[in-house]
Amino acid sequence: MTNYLKFTPISNVDINILMPIENACHSHPWNEKTFTSCIGNRYFGEKLCDNSNDSPKIIGFYVGELVIDEATLMDICVEPTEQGNGFGKKLLNQFIQQAKAKGALKIWLEVRAKNISAQMMYINAGFIEISRRTGYYPSSSGFGYEDAIVMSFSI
């Protein structure tokens, strides 16, 4: 990792800084209450910061959950102006590394069926499609629902 990029754990004081990224990345984003409930206890997450100048910039973040020996990627976001630069892959790799360090043997995630770029990132990292949840996500257009693809990765 380039030495000006740094991962730091997410805490409650980060919510106000991360919510604009959450809102920009999802058609149906988490609200602040949901986000806050996914910090601490069985949840873990980190933000990726660019510290190359005097005012550090948050590039993205992930939130994971660990239950016994299984981790779930709950959320992963990259600031839209920074997408396409490999930061999603860096966040995913960090999540996998942290899940492994916490004792996870298997990782789970769900991704929108239409989000091909995310699916390719997960496939390239070694995830495989396990199943499909029909009509799981509200559609981004606001009409109807979209399938979720369930993927897993064995550590």
Side-chain angles (χ1 to χ4, degrees):
M1 178 181 295
T2 315
N3 57 359
Y4 63 87
L5 294 176
K6 184 178 179 186
F7 285 100
T8 56
I10 293 173
S11 71
N12 286 330
V13 298
D14 296 316
I15 298 294
N16 291 335
I17 299 166
L18 299 178
M19 281 306 299
I21 299 171
E22 173 71 15
N23 290 330
C25 290
H26 298 296
S27 60
H28 295 80
W30 286 355
N31 60 37
E32 285 186 36
K33 184 179 179 183
T34 300
F35 207 137
T36 302
S37 73
C38 292
I39 295 175
N41 299 316
R42 68 178 187 262
Y43 297 98
F44 62 102
E46 292 179 291
K47 59 189 180 290
L48 177 60
C49 298
D50 176 349
N51 296 316
S52 62
N53 58 42
D54 291 336
S55 57
K57 178 184 179 184
I58 296 177
I59 295 171
F61 66 91
Y62 73 82
V63 175
E65 178 184 31
L66 180 71
V67 177
I68 306 174
D69 61 357
E70 293 188 350
T72 301
L73 180 62
M74 304 294 292
D75 197 2
I76 187 168
C77 294
V78 173
E79 170 68 45
T81 59
E82 299 291 344
Q83 291 177 2
N85 295 318
F87 296 122
K89 184 178 178 179
K90 286 183 186 311
L91 285 159
L92 179 62
N93 288 338
Q94 181 72 6
F95 164 72
I96 293 168
Q97 184 179 37
Q98 291 300 309
K100 184 177 181 179
K102 291 178 180 299
L105 300 176
K106 191 164 212 83
I107 296 175
W108 299 92
L109 64 82
E110 293 158 351
V111 60
R112 285 179 180 269
K114 291 182 181 176
N115 192 345
I116 303 302
S117 60
Q119 289 177 50
M120 292 309 301
M121 179 178 73
Y122 299 137
I123 290 167
N124 288 334
F127 284 81
I128 57 170
E129 182 175 339
I130 299 299
S131 65
R132 195 176 267 254
R133 293 187 174 159
T134 306
Y136 184 76
Y137 292 111
S139 74
S140 55
S141 68
F143 299 101
Y145 291 88
E146 185 177 345
D147 291 356
I149 295 174
V150 178
M151 302 182 88
S152 74
F153 176 83
S154 295
I155 296 178

